[in-house]
Coordinates of all heavy atoms in Angstrom, one line a residue:
P1 N 92.0 145.9 80.0 CA 91.9 145.5 81.4 C 93.3 145.2 82.0 O 94.2 144.9 81.2 CB 91.1 144.2 81.3 CG 91.2 143.7 79.9 CD 91.5 144.9 79.1
P2 N 93.4 145.4 83.3 CA 94.7 145.2 83.9 C 95.1 143.7 83.9 O 94.3 142.8 83.9 CB 94.6 145.7 85.3 CG 93.1 145.7 85.6 CD 92.4 145.8 84.2
D3 N 96.4 143.4 83.8 CA 96.9 142.1 83.9 C 97.2 141.8 85.4 O 97.3 142.7 86.2 CB 98.2 141.9 83.2 CG 98.1 141.9 81.7 OD1 97.1 141.3 81.2 OD2 98.9 142.5 81.0
D4 N 97.3 140.5 85.7 CA 97.7 140.1 87.1 C 99.2 140.2 87.2 O 99.9 139.2 86.9 CB 97.2 138.7 87.4 CG 97.5 138.2 88.8 OD1 98.1 139.0 89.6 OD2 97.1 137.1 89.1
L5 N 99.7 141.3 87.7 CA 101.1 141.5 87.8 C 101.8 140.6 88.8 O 103.0 140.4 88.8 CB 101.4 143.0 88.0 CG 100.9 144.0 87.0 CD1 101.3 145.4 87.4 CD2 101.5 143.7 85.6
K6 N 101.0 140.0 89.7 CA 101.5 139.1 90.7 C 102.0 137.8 90.0 O 102.7 137.0 90.7 CB 100.5 138.8 91.7 CG 100.1 140.0 92.5 CD 99.0 139.7 93.6 CE 97.7 139.2 93.1 NZ 97.0 140.0 92.2
R7 N 101.8 137.6 88.7 CA 102.3 136.5 88.0 C 103.8 136.7 87.6 O 104.4 135.8 87.1 CB 101.5 136.2 86.8 CG 100.1 135.7 87.1 CD 99.2 135.4 85.9 NE 99.7 134.2 85.2 CZ 99.9 134.2 83.9 NH1 99.6 135.2 83.1 NH2 100.3 133.0 83.3
I8 N 104.3 137.9 87.9 CA 105.7 138.2 87.8 C 106.4 137.9 89.1 O 106.0 138.5 90.1 CB 105.9 139.7 87.4 CG1 105.3 140.0 86.0 CG2 107.4 140.0 87.4 CD1 105.3 141.5 85.7
R9 N 107.4 137.0 89.1 CA 108.1 136.7 90.3 C 108.7 137.9 90.9 O 109.4 138.7 90.2 CB 109.2 135.7 90.0 CG 109.9 135.2 91.2 CD 111.0 134.1 90.9 NE 111.7 134.4 89.7 CZ 112.9 135.0 89.7 NH1 113.4 135.5 90.8 NH2 113.5 135.2 88.6
G10 N 108.3 138.2 92.2 CA 108.8 139.4 92.9 C 107.8 140.4 93.1 O 108.0 141.4 93.8
V11 N 106.6 140.3 92.4 CA 105.6 141.3 92.6 C 104.5 140.7 93.4 O 103.9 139.6 93.0 CB 105.0 141.7 91.2 CG1 103.8 142.7 91.4 CG2 106.1 142.3 90.3
G12 N 104.2 141.2 94.6 CA 103.2 140.8 95.4 C 102.0 141.7 95.4 O 101.9 142.7 94.6
V13 N 101.1 141.5 96.4 CA 99.9 142.3 96.4 C 100.2 143.8 96.6 O 99.6 144.7 95.9 CB 99.0 141.8 97.6 CG1 97.8 142.7 97.7 CG2 98.6 140.4 97.3
V14 N 101.0 144.2 97.5 CA 101.3 145.6 97.8 C 102.0 146.2 96.6 O 101.7 147.3 96.2 CB 102.2 145.7 99.1 CG1 102.6 147.1 99.3 CG2 101.3 145.2 100.3
T15 N 103.0 145.5 96.1 CA 103.8 146.1 95.0 C 102.9 146.2 93.7 O 102.9 147.3 93.1 CB 105.0 145.2 94.6 OG1 105.8 145.1 95.8 CG2 105.8 145.7 93.5
E16 N 102.0 145.3 93.5 CA 101.1 145.4 92.4 C 100.2 146.7 92.6 O 99.9 147.4 91.6 CB 100.2 144.2 92.2 CG 99.2 144.3 91.1 CD 98.3 143.1 90.9 OE1 97.7 142.7 92.0 OE2 98.2 142.6 89.8
T17 N 99.7 146.9 93.8 CA 98.8 148.0 94.1 C 99.6 149.3 93.8 O 99.1 150.3 93.2 CB 98.3 148.0 95.5 OG1 97.6 146.8 95.7 CG2 97.5 149.2 95.9
K18 N 100.9 149.4 94.3 CA 101.7 150.5 94.0 C 101.9 150.8 92.5 O 101.9 151.9 92.1 CB 103.0 150.4 94.8 CG 102.9 150.5 96.3 CD 104.3 150.3 96.9 CE 104.2 150.4 98.4 NZ 105.5 150.2 99.1
L19 N 102.3 149.7 91.8 CA 102.5 149.8 90.4 C 101.2 150.3 89.7 O 101.3 151.2 88.8 CB 102.9 148.5 89.8 CG 104.3 148.0 90.1 CD1 104.5 146.6 89.7 CD2 105.3 148.9 89.4
N20 N 100.1 149.8 90.0 CA 98.8 150.2 89.5 C 98.6 151.7 89.7 O 98.1 152.4 88.8 CB 97.6 149.4 90.0 CG 97.6 148.0 89.5 OD1 96.8 147.2 90.0 ND2 98.4 147.6 88.6
A21 N 98.9 152.2 90.9 CA 98.7 153.6 91.3 C 99.7 154.5 90.5 O 99.4 155.6 90.2 CB 99.0 153.8 92.8
M22 N 100.8 153.9 90.0 CA 101.7 154.6 89.2 C 101.4 154.5 87.7 O 102.2 154.9 86.8 CB 103.1 154.2 89.5 CG 103.6 154.6 90.8 SD 105.4 154.1 91.1 CE 105.2 152.5 91.9
G23 N 100.3 153.9 87.4 CA 99.9 153.7 86.0 C 100.4 152.5 85.3 O 100.2 152.3 84.1
I24 N 101.0 151.6 86.0 CA 101.5 150.3 85.5 C 100.5 149.2 85.7 O 100.3 148.8 86.9 CB 102.9 149.9 86.1 CG1 103.9 151.1 85.9 CG2 103.4 148.6 85.5 CD1 104.1 151.5 84.5
R25 N 99.8 148.8 84.7 CA 98.7 147.9 84.8 C 98.8 146.6 84.0 O 98.0 145.7 84.2 CB 97.4 148.6 84.5 CG 97.0 149.7 85.5 CD 95.7 150.3 85.3 NE 95.3 151.2 86.4 CZ 95.7 152.4 86.5 NH1 96.5 152.9 85.5 NH2 95.4 153.2 87.5
T26 N 99.7 146.6 83.0 CA 99.8 145.5 82.1 C 101.2 144.9 82.0 O 102.2 145.7 82.3 CB 99.3 145.8 80.7 OG1 100.2 146.7 80.1 CG2 97.9 146.4 80.7
Y27 N 101.3 143.7 81.5 CA 102.7 143.1 81.3 C 103.4 144.0 80.3 O 104.6 144.2 80.4 CB 102.6 141.7 80.8 CG 101.8 140.8 81.7 CD1 100.8 140.0 81.2 CD2 102.1 140.7 83.1 CE1 100.1 139.1 82.0 CE2 101.4 139.9 83.9 CZ 100.4 139.0 83.4 OH 99.7 138.2 84.2
G28 N 102.7 144.5 79.3 CA 103.3 145.3 78.3 C 103.9 146.6 78.8 O 105.0 147.1 78.4
D29 N 103.2 147.2 79.9 CA 103.8 148.4 80.5 C 105.2 148.1 81.1 O 106.1 148.8 80.9 CB 102.9 148.8 81.7 CG 101.5 149.4 81.2 OD1 101.4 149.8 80.0 OD2 100.6 149.3 82.0
V30 N 105.3 146.9 81.8 CA 106.6 146.6 82.4 C 107.6 146.1 81.3 O 108.8 146.5 81.4 CB 106.4 145.4 83.4 CG1 107.7 145.0 84.0 CG2 105.4 145.9 84.5
A31 N 107.1 145.4 80.3 CA 108.0 144.9 79.2 C 108.7 146.0 78.5 O 109.8 145.8 78.0 CB 107.2 144.0 78.3
R32 N 108.1 147.2 78.4 CA 108.7 148.3 77.7 C 109.6 149.2 78.6 O 110.1 150.2 78.1 CB 107.5 149.2 77.1 CG 106.8 148.5 76.0 CD 105.8 149.5 75.4 NE 104.7 149.8 76.3 CZ 103.6 149.1 76.4 NH1 103.4 148.0 75.7 NH2 102.6 149.5 77.2
W33 N 109.8 148.8 79.8 CA 110.7 149.6 80.6 C 112.1 149.7 80.1 O 112.7 148.7 79.8 CB 110.7 149.1 82.1 CG 109.5 149.4 82.9 CD1 108.5 150.1 82.6 CD2 109.3 148.9 84.2 NE1 107.6 150.2 83.6 CE2 108.0 149.4 84.6 CE3 110.0 148.1 85.1 CZ2 107.5 149.2 85.9 CZ3 109.5 147.8 86.3 CH2 108.2 148.4 86.7
S34 N 112.7 150.9 80.1 CA 114.1 151.1 79.7 C 114.9 150.9 81.0 O 114.3 150.9 82.1 CB 114.3 152.5 79.2 OG 114.0 153.4 80.2
P35 N 116.2 150.9 80.9 CA 117.0 150.9 82.1 C 116.7 152.1 83.0 O 116.7 151.9 84.3 CB 118.5 150.9 81.6 CG 118.4 150.2 80.3 CD 117.0 150.6 79.7
A36 N 116.5 153.2 82.4 CA 116.1 154.4 83.2 C 114.8 154.2 84.0 O 114.6 154.6 85.1 CB 116.0 155.6 82.3
D37 N 113.8 153.6 83.3 CA 112.5 153.3 83.9 C 112.7 152.3 85.1 O 112.2 152.5 86.2 CB 111.5 152.6 83.0 CG 111.1 153.6 81.9 OD1 111.0 154.8 82.1 OD2 110.9 153.1 80.7
V38 N 113.6 151.3 84.9 CA 113.8 150.3 86.0 C 114.4 151.0 87.2 O 114.0 150.8 88.3 CB 114.8 149.2 85.5 CG1 115.3 148.4 86.6 CG2 114.1 148.3 84.4
A39 N 115.4 151.9 86.9 CA 116.0 152.7 88.0 C 114.9 153.5 88.7 O 114.9 153.6 90.0 CB 117.1 153.5 87.5
R40 N 114.1 154.2 88.0 CA 113.1 155.1 88.5 C 112.1 154.3 89.4 O 111.7 154.7 90.5 CB 112.3 155.8 87.4 CG 111.3 156.8 87.9 CD 110.8 157.7 86.7 NE 110.4 157.0 85.5 CZ 109.2 156.6 85.3 NH1 108.2 156.8 86.1 NH2 108.9 156.0 84.1
F41 N 111.6 153.1 88.8 CA 110.6 152.3 89.6 C 111.3 151.7 90.8 O 110.6 151.5 91.8 CB 109.9 151.3 88.7 CG 108.9 152.0 87.8 CD1 109.1 152.2 86.5 CD2 107.7 152.4 88.4 CE1 108.1 152.8 85.7 CE2 106.7 153.0 87.6 CZ 106.9 153.3 86.3
S42 N 112.5 151.3 90.6 CA 113.3 150.7 91.8 C 113.3 151.6 92.9 O 113.1 151.3 94.1 CB 114.7 150.3 91.4 OG 114.7 149.2 90.5
E43 N 113.6 152.9 92.6 CA 113.6 153.9 93.7 C 112.2 154.2 94.2 O 112.1 154.3 95.4 CB 114.2 155.2 93.1 CG 114.4 156.3 94.2 CD 115.1 157.5 93.6 OE1 116.0 157.4 92.7 OE2 114.8 158.6 94.1
A44 N 111.3 154.4 93.4 CA 109.9 154.7 93.8 C 109.3 153.6 94.7 O 108.6 153.8 95.6 CB 109.0 154.9 92.6
L45 N 109.7 152.3 94.4 CA 109.2 151.2 95.1 C 110.1 150.8 96.3 O 109.8 149.9 97.1 CB 109.0 150.0 94.2 CG 108.0 150.1 93.1 CD1 108.1 148.9 92.1 CD2 106.6 150.1 93.7
D46 N 111.2 151.5 96.4 CA 112.2 151.3 97.5 C 112.7 149.8 97.4 O 112.7 149.1 98.4 CB 111.7 151.6 98.9 CG 112.8 151.7 99.9 OD1 113.9 151.9 99.5 OD2 112.4 151.4 101.1
M47 N 113.0 149.4 96.2 CA 113.5 148.0 95.9 C 114.8 148.0 95.1 O 114.8 147.5 94.0 CB 112.4 147.2 95.2 CG 111.1 147.1 95.9 SD 110.0 146.1 94.8 CE 108.9 145.4 96.0
P48 N 115.8 148.6 95.7 CA 117.1 148.7 94.9 C 117.6 147.4 94.4 O 117.7 146.4 95.2 CB 118.0 149.4 95.9 CG 117.5 149.3 97.2 CD 116.0 149.1 97.1
G49 N 117.8 147.3 93.1 CA 118.3 146.1 92.5 C 117.4 144.9 92.3 O 117.7 144.0 91.6
R50 N 116.3 145.0 92.9 CA 115.3 143.8 92.9 C 114.7 143.6 91.5 O 114.6 142.4 91.1 CB 114.3 144.0 94.0 CG 113.4 142.8 94.1 CD 112.6 142.8 95.3 NE 111.6 141.8 95.3 CZ 110.6 141.7 96.2 NH1 110.6 142.5 97.2 NH2 109.7 140.8 96.2
I51 N 114.3 144.6 90.8 CA 113.7 144.5 89.5 C 114.7 143.8 88.6 O 114.3 142.9 87.8 CB 113.2 145.9 89.0 CG1 112.1 146.4 89.9 CG2 112.8 145.8 87.5 CD1 111.7 147.8 89.6
E52 N 115.9 144.2 88.6 CA 116.9 143.6 87.7 C 117.2 142.2 88.1 O 117.2 141.3 87.3 CB 118.2 144.4 87.8 CG 118.1 145.8 87.3 CD 117.9 146.8 88.4 OE1 117.2 146.4 89.4 OE2 118.4 147.9 88.3
K53 N 117.4 141.9 89.4 CA 117.7 140.6 90.0 C 116.6 139.6 89.6 O 116.9 138.5 89.2 CB 117.9 140.7 91.5 CG 118.2 139.3 92.1 CD 118.3 139.5 93.6 CE 118.3 138.1 94.3 NZ 118.2 138.2 95.7
E54 N 115.4 140.0 89.7 CA 114.3 139.1 89.4 C 113.8 139.1 88.0 O 112.9 138.4 87.6 CB 113.1 139.4 90.4 CG 113.5 139.0 91.8 CD 112.5 139.4 92.9 OE1 111.7 140.3 92.6 OE2 112.5 138.8 93.9
N55 N 114.4 140.0 87.2 CA 114.2 140.1 85.7 C 112.7 140.4 85.4 O 112.1 139.7 84.6 CB 114.7 138.9 85.0 CG 114.7 139.1 83.5 OD1 114.7 140.2 83.0 ND2 114.6 137.9 82.8
W56 N 112.1 141.4 86.1 CA 110.7 141.7 85.8 C 110.5 142.0 84.4 O 109.4 141.6 83.8 CB 110.3 142.9 86.7 CG 110.2 142.7 88.1 CD1 110.7 141.6 88.9 CD2 109.6 143.6 89.1 NE1 110.4 141.8 90.2 CE2 109.8 143.0 90.4 CE3 109.1 144.8 89.0 CZ2 109.3 143.6 91.5 CZ3 108.6 145.5 90.1 CH2 108.7 144.9 91.4
V57 N 111.4 142.7 83.7 CA 111.2 143.1 82.3 C 111.1 141.9 81.4 O 110.2 141.7 80.6 CB 112.2 144.1 81.9 CG1 112.1 144.4 80.4 CG2 112.1 145.4 82.7
G58 N 112.1 141.0 81.6 CA 112.1 139.7 80.8 C 110.9 138.9 81.1 O 110.3 138.4 80.1
Q59 N 110.5 138.8 82.3 CA 109.2 138.0 82.6 C 108.0 138.6 82.0 O 107.2 138.0 81.4 CB 109.0 137.9 84.1 CG 110.0 137.1 84.9 CD 109.6 137.1 86.4 OE1 108.7 136.5 86.8 NE2 110.4 137.8 87.2
A60 N 107.9 140.0 82.1 CA 106.8 140.7 81.5 C 106.8 140.6 80.0 O 105.7 140.5 79.4 CB 106.9 142.2 81.9
Q61 N 107.9 140.5 79.3 CA 108.0 140.4 77.9 C 107.4 139.0 77.5 O 106.6 138.9 76.5 CB 109.4 140.5 77.4 CG 109.9 141.9 77.5 CD 111.4 142.1 77.2 OE1 112.2 141.1 77.3 NE2 111.8 143.3 76.9
V62 N 107.7 138.0 78.2 CA 107.2 136.6 78.0 C 105.7 136.6 78.2 O 104.9 136.2 77.3 CB 107.9 135.6 78.9 CG1 107.2 134.2 78.7 CG2 109.3 135.4 78.5
L63 N 105.2 137.2 79.3 CA 103.8 137.2 79.6 C 103.0 138.1 78.6 O 101.9 137.7 78.2 CB 103.6 137.7 81.0 CG 104.1 136.7 82.1 CD1 104.2 137.4 83.5 CD2 103.4 135.4 82.2
A64 N 103.6 139.2 78.2 CA 102.9 140.1 77.3 C 102.7 139.4 75.9 O 101.8 139.7 75.2 CB 103.7 141.4 77.1
S65 N 103.6 138.5 75.6 CA 103.5 137.8 74.3 C 102.5 136.7 74.3 O 102.3 136.0 73.3 CB 104.9 137.3 73.9 OG 105.2 136.1 74.7
G66 N 101.9 136.5 75.5 CA 100.9 135.4 75.6 C 101.4 134.1 76.1 O 100.7 133.1 76.2
Q67 N 102.7 134.0 76.3 CA 103.3 132.8 76.8 C 103.4 132.9 78.4 O 103.0 133.9 79.0 CB 104.8 132.7 76.3 CG 104.8 132.6 74.8 CD 106.2 132.5 74.2 OE1 107.2 132.7 75.0 NE2 106.3 132.2 73.0
A68 N 103.8 131.8 79.0 CA 103.9 131.7 80.4 C 105.4 131.5 80.8 O 106.2 131.0 80.1 CB 103.0 130.6 80.9
T69 N 105.7 131.9 82.1 CA 107.0 131.6 82.7 C 106.8 130.4 83.6 O 105.6 130.1 84.0 CB 107.5 132.8 83.4 OG1 106.6 133.1 84.5 CG2 107.6 134.0 82.5
E70 N 107.9 129.9 84.1 CA 107.8 128.8 85.1 C 107.0 129.3 86.3 O 106.1 128.6 86.8 CB 109.2 128.3 85.5 CG 109.1 127.3 86.6 CD 110.5 126.9 87.1 OE1 111.5 127.2 86.4 OE2 110.6 126.3 88.2
F71 N 107.3 130.5 86.7 CA 106.7 131.1 87.9 C 105.2 131.3 87.7 O 104.4 131.0 88.5 CB 107.3 132.4 88.4 CG 106.7 133.0 89.6 CD1 107.1 132.5 90.9 CD2 105.8 134.0 89.5 CE1 106.5 133.0 92.0 CE2 105.3 134.5 90.7 CZ 105.6 134.0 91.9
S72 N 104.8 131.9 86.5 CA 103.4 132.2 86.3 C 102.6 130.9 86.2 O 101.5 130.8 86.6 CB 103.2 133.0 85.0 OG 103.5 132.3 83.8
N73 N 103.2 129.8 85.6 CA 102.6 128.5 85.6 C 102.3 128.0 87.0 O 101.2 127.4 87.3 CB 103.4 127.5 84.8 CG 103.2 127.6 83.3 OD1 102.2 128.0 82.8 ND2 104.3 127.3 82.6
R74 N 103.3 128.2 87.9 CA 103.1 127.7 89.3 C 102.0 128.5 90.0 O 101.3 128.0 90.8 CB 104.5 127.9 90.0 CG 105.5 126.8 89.5 CD 106.9 127.0 90.1 NE 106.9 127.2 91.5 CZ 107.8 127.9 92.2 NH1 108.8 128.5 91.5 NH2 107.8 127.9 93.5
V75 N 102.0 129.8 89.7 CA 100.9 130.7 90.3 C 99.6 130.2 89.8 O 98.6 130.0 90.6 CB 101.1 132.2 90.0 CG1 99.9 133.0 90.4 CG2 102.4 132.7 90.7
D76 N 99.5 130.0 88.5 CA 98.2 129.5 87.9 C 97.7 128.2 88.5 O 96.5 128.0 88.6 CB 98.3 129.4 86.4 CG 98.6 130.8 85.7 OD1 98.4 131.8 86.3 OD2 99.0 130.8 84.5
R77 N 98.7 127.3 88.8 CA 98.3 126.0 89.3 C 98.0 126.1 90.8 O 97.5 125.1 91.4 CB 99.4 125.0 89.1 CG 99.6 124.5 87.7 CD 100.6 123.3 87.7 NE 101.8 123.6 88.4 CZ 103.0 123.9 87.8 NH1 103.0 124.1 86.5 NH2 104.1 124.1 88.5
G78 N 98.3 127.2 91.4 CA 98.1 127.4 92.9 C 99.2 126.8 93.7 O 99.1 126.7 94.9
D79 N 100.3 126.5 93.1 CA 101.5 126.0 93.8 C 102.2 127.1 94.5 O 103.0 126.8 95.5 CB 102.5 125.3 92.8 CG 101.9 124.1 92.2 OD1 100.9 123.6 92.7 OD2 102.5 123.7 91.1
V80 N 102.0 128.3 94.1 CA 102.7 129.5 94.7 C 101.7 130.6 95.0 O 100.9 130.9 94.1 CB 103.8 130.1 93.7 CG1 104.3 131.4 94.3 CG2 104.8 129.1 93.4
T81 N 101.7 131.1 96.2 CA 100.9 132.2 96.5 C 101.8 133.4 96.5 O 102.7 133.5 97.2 CB 100.3 132.0 97.9 OG1 99.5 130.8 97.9 CG2 99.3 133.2 98.2
P82 N 101.5 134.4 95.6 CA 102.3 135.6 95.6 C 102.4 136.3 96.9 O 101.4 136.3 97.7 CB 101.6 136.5 94.6 CG 100.8 135.6 93.7 CD 100.4 134.5 94.6
S83 N 103.6 136.8 97.2 CA 103.8 137.4 98.5 C 102.9 138.7 98.7 O 102.4 139.2 97.7 CB 105.2 137.8 98.7 OG 105.5 138.9 97.8
K84 N 102.7 139.1 99.9 CA 102.0 140.3 100.2 C 102.8 141.5 99.9 O 102.2 142.6 99.7 CB 101.5 140.3 101.7 CG 100.5 139.2 102.0 CD 100.0 139.4 103.4 CE 99.2 138.2 103.8 NZ 97.8 138.4 103.7
E85 N 104.1 141.4 99.8 CA 105.0 142.5 99.5 C 104.7 143.2 98.2 O 104.3 142.7 97.2 CB 106.4 142.0 99.5 CG 107.4 143.1 99.6 CD 108.8 142.5 99.8 OE1 109.0 141.6 100.5 OE2 109.7 143.1 99.2

């Protein structure tokens, strides 16, 4: 089953939909991105530098291991509503 990618800081509703359409559905998918993958997805999503700046890969590695990040905890508590972006 797909993961809630909106628990990654910087991924909103629209971005999650785009990632899903590109076959990215789990934290593990993002956690395995190489620098070349990051560049490719940055371009495809029209988000230059954002994936690196927000450390999507690092966040996804934590989430894929079953742990939580500060941001995902805030989302889970309802303290943060992921952006529509």
Side-chain angles (χ1 to χ4, degrees):
D3 289 320
D4 181 0
L5 300 179
K6 296 181 301 300
R7 293 178 73 225
I8 296 173
R9 183 175 43 91
V11 177
V13 175
V14 172
T15 301
E16 181 182 49
T17 301
K18 289 178 182 178
L19 288 168
N20 289 171
M22 291 185 266
I24 305 302
R25 294 185 171 83
T26 68
Y27 303 131
D29 293 337
V30 178
R32 290 186 292 275
W33 284 356
S34 67
D37 293 325
V38 169
R40 184 169 49 92
F41 284 105
S42 289
E43 184 175 327
L45 296 168
D46 194 25
M47 298 179 153
R50 185 165 170 186
I51 293 172
E52 299 95 325
K53 178 182 171 191
E54 293 174 336
N55 191 23
W56 290 12
V57 174
Q59 291 180 72
Q61 289 170 342
V62 171
L63 295 168
S65 74
Q67 298 177 351
T69 64
E70 177 187 343
F71 182 78
S72 69
N73 280 330
R74 291 172 49 208
V75 170
D76 295 345
R77 287 192 310 261
D79 295 343
V80 173
T81 303
S83 71
K84 293 187 190 256
E85 195 173 322

